[in-house]
Structures are given as structure tokens and as C-alpha cells.
Amino acid sequence: MRINSNVVKLALVALSASYTGLAHAELNVFACEPEYAALAKELAPTAKIYSATTALQDPHQVQARPSLIAKMRQADLVVCAGADLEVGWLPMLQMKSANAKVRSTEQGLFFAADQIETLDKLANVDRSMGDVHAQGNPHLHFDPTRLLNVASALSAKMSQIDPAGAANYQQSLADFTTRWQAAIPRWEEQAKGLQGKKVIAYHSSFRYLFNWIGIEQVADLEPKPGLAPTSGHLASLLTRAEQRDILAVVVASYQDERGAKWLGEKANLPVLMLPMSVGGNDSSKDLFSLYDSVISLLNGVK
């Protein structure tokens, strides 16, 4: 039987195209939090990126839903804050997804906290201390210098997983670095008037932000990390607020405002809700606008 040479050629072209497509398949990224989805987008703009949470969700408490399991099963790279922020749900997703590629940091698992020196590390932790993180505060995305270090390490991880795309990841990192380094002095100039201000805040969500721009969190709305404000604790905060040196009561976009509003009303203090991550308010479209929004909101407190 004779085979038409044109049919053979077409088949070879199609086969070649399919292999080329496979060779240049875009990276599939599963981000645990929206800030890391946004960072992955900066470094790999054509990648398939999925965020397991939104800025309106508590990243400590996530259900291992079937949709998340399916997304992790498809992932080449999983990017999370780390420092045990996701310890209550990430291991379950890893187990149920049965994706060997993202079980180890030697392969496709990446923790931002592993790339930097975290604040507030603890030598010893016990259950009486509440929801604390021995490896340090995991909400590091509000420190621009630390986040840039994370970006560099994440770009290298992407290049490790996808060597064919390494040049593109390196170019995207260089572009992001240039824009980010140009923005830092602008943000610091805008935040100058906030240095030395005092706030009462919920949890230690903005620890890195306050550390960076010089705001002091003098008290926590939680009696212990992870515990809702009690009436007795709120009464003690009201006594502290009567010193009249507090700028505002600060809560993150996913946190319960009830205790903060009670304290704000009783102490005649503004209650300021800050976006915890990209998507936390209408202004926070990416990492740059997230920083713009947070500093603008703090500056707008009267």
C-alpha cells in the first residue's frame, strides 16, 4: 500500500508542533495567597496562575476543597508564605492531590519565608501562647526589601523547574526589580509622616509594614493570637486608648471588625480597614497598587 507523501509530511508537521508545544508549555502555578499569585504574575506573565485564597479570607483557615485539590494536582509549582501559615491545610492538599512534584522544596514547592530572615522567631512555642509561629511572622509581603529577595529566589525556582523559560524569567525579574526599587523611595517619602505613630491592631498581620515605615503597634485586639477579643481585654484596650496617643484601630480586610468598632466608638478612634493583600479593596490590583493603597489609607487618618 502506497502512503501519500503529503499526508506523511502533514503528520510530521503536526507531530513536531505538538512536541514544540509541550517543550514550551507554560508554567502552572498554584499560589496559596493572592500576594504570591501577583508576584508570580510579575515574574511569569504568561503562566497559568491560580490563587487558593483571596484577600477577604483568613489564610490560616482554608478548607481542602475538591476544587483546590484539582488545581494542586495540575500544578508545576506551589508558592506559599510558609512559616507554618498554611500548616492547617496545605499538607492535606498535598496528600489528596497526589502530585509528587509539589511535595518538596527540592522540587516544585516554594516557601517565601524560607528565603528571608523573618521577624519574631520563637525558640519555644506551646499551646498556651495561642496561634503563634515559631518560624517567625509569615506576613512578610509588606516589607519591600524582603519581598524583592523572595522575587529573586522565586525566579530562580521557576528557572529550575522550567529551564527553557529561564531567560524570560530572568528578564521579568530584572524588569520587576527596576520598577520595585524605583517605587520604594517614593513609598518611604509618602510614609514619612507616619513614623512614630501608634496603633492598636488585630493580630500581627501588618508587623512588617509597621516595622518598615516606623509605626508602633502598642496593643493587639486579640488577647492571644487567634482568639477573639473578650470584653475584659477590650476594656483594658480602652484604658490604654485613653492616653490619647493612638492614631487608629487597624484591622485587615478579612478580620472581624466588631471588637475594633466597639473600641473605636468608646475611645473616639478611627477604625481603619487595610487590604491584607492584592484584591483587598478596589484599589489593590497588583503589588504596587497594594502598597500605594495601604500608605494612602494610613495617611488619610484624621
Side-chain angles (χ1 to χ4, degrees), residues 229-284:
T230 62
S231 56
H233 183 64
L234 287 172
S236 70
L237 294 180
L238 181 57
T239 300
R240 174 63 186 84
E242 288 170 351
Q243 296 183 31
R244 300 299 171 194
D245 60 347
I246 304 298
L247 174 70
V249 182
V250 176
V251 295
S253 49
Y254 65 81
Q255 291 165 341
D256 190 334
E257 292 181 272
R258 286 175 295 180
K261 285 183 173 179
W262 182 91
L263 181 60
E265 289 172 4
K266 295 294 184 182
N268 194 28
L269 285 171
V271 176
L272 182 61
M273 177 173 282
L274 296 180
M276 187 61 208
S277 187
V278 175
N281 60 14
D282 291 341
S283 300
S284 303

Side-chain angles (χ1 to χ4, degrees), residues 81-104:
D84 287 341
L85 177 62
E86 305 90 0
V87 70
W89 54 276
L90 180 60
M92 180 67 69
L93 284 182
Q94 290 172 308
M95 181 185 72
K96 290 193 172 183
S97 70
N99 183 351
K101 293 187 293 185
V102 298
R103 287 183 179 171
S104 166

Side-chain angles (χ1 to χ4, degrees), residues 194-209:
L194 297 168
Q195 291 180 10
K197 299 294 186 181
K198 298 177 181 179
V199 298
I200 295 172
Y202 209 129
H203 201 63
S204 54
S205 304
F206 297 102
R207 173 75 169 94
Y208 289 89
L209 174 70

Side-chain angles (χ1 to χ4, degrees), residues 31-238:
C32 290
E33 295 85 23
E35 57 267 26
Y36 295 112
L39 184 60
K41 185 69 174 176
E42 294 284 353
L43 301 176
T46 61
K48 297 177 183 177
I49 301 169
Y50 176 80
S51 179
T53 60
T54 75
L56 304 181
Q57 290 177 272
D58 185 345
H60 298 83
Q61 300 175 5
V62 176
Q63 297 297 319
R65 304 186 307 274
S67 59
L68 294 185
I69 296 167
K71 289 292 185 181
M72 183 165 282
R73 186 173 293 127
Q74 299 164 4
D76 303 305
L77 173 62
V78 169
V79 183
C80 301
D84 287 341
L85 177 62
E86 305 90 0
V87 70
W89 54 276
L90 180 60
M92 180 67 69
L93 284 182
Q94 290 172 308
M95 181 185 72
K96 290 193 172 183
S97 70
N99 183 351
K101 293 187 293 185
V102 298
R103 287 183 179 171
S104 166
T105 53
E106 295 297 316
Q107 298 182 61
L109 179 61
F110 180 92
F111 290 125
D114 289 352
Q115 319 307 320
I116 55 99
E117 186 66 29
T118 55
L119 296 176
D120 305 330
K121 283 187 176 180
L122 298 170
N124 297 293
V125 172
D126 62 63
R127 300 186 72 175
S128 69
M129 299 167 70
D131 183 17
V132 295
H133 301 276
Q135 297 178 46
N137 189 306
H139 308 293
L140 59 96
H141 61 287
F142 274 118
D143 182 307
T145 301
R146 284 179 166 90
L147 190 63
L148 194 55
N149 291 336
V150 172
S152 179
L154 181 54
S155 177
K157 173 61 76 173
M158 289 174 168
S159 296
Q160 173 195 329
I161 293 170
D162 177 25
N168 291 331
Y169 302 135
Q170 291 164 11
Q171 181 57 51
S172 294
L173 173 64
D175 176 62
F176 174 73
T177 299
T178 298
R179 292 182 291 118
W180 196 252
Q181 288 179 330
I184 291 174
R186 172 172 60 82
W187 289 323
E188 291 178 343
E189 179 63 29
Q190 291 170 350
K192 265 188 176 180
L194 297 168
Q195 291 180 10
K197 299 294 186 181
K198 298 177 181 179
V199 298
I200 295 172
Y202 209 129
H203 201 63
S204 54
S205 304
F206 297 102
R207 173 75 169 94
Y208 289 89
L209 174 70
F210 296 158
N211 181 70
W212 168 44
I213 61 180
I215 289 178
E216 181 184 358
Q217 181 174 334
V218 299
D220 192 333
L221 280 159
E222 297 174 312
K224 288 183 181 180
L227 298 181
T230 62
S231 56
H233 183 64
L234 287 172
S236 70
L237 294 180
L238 181 57

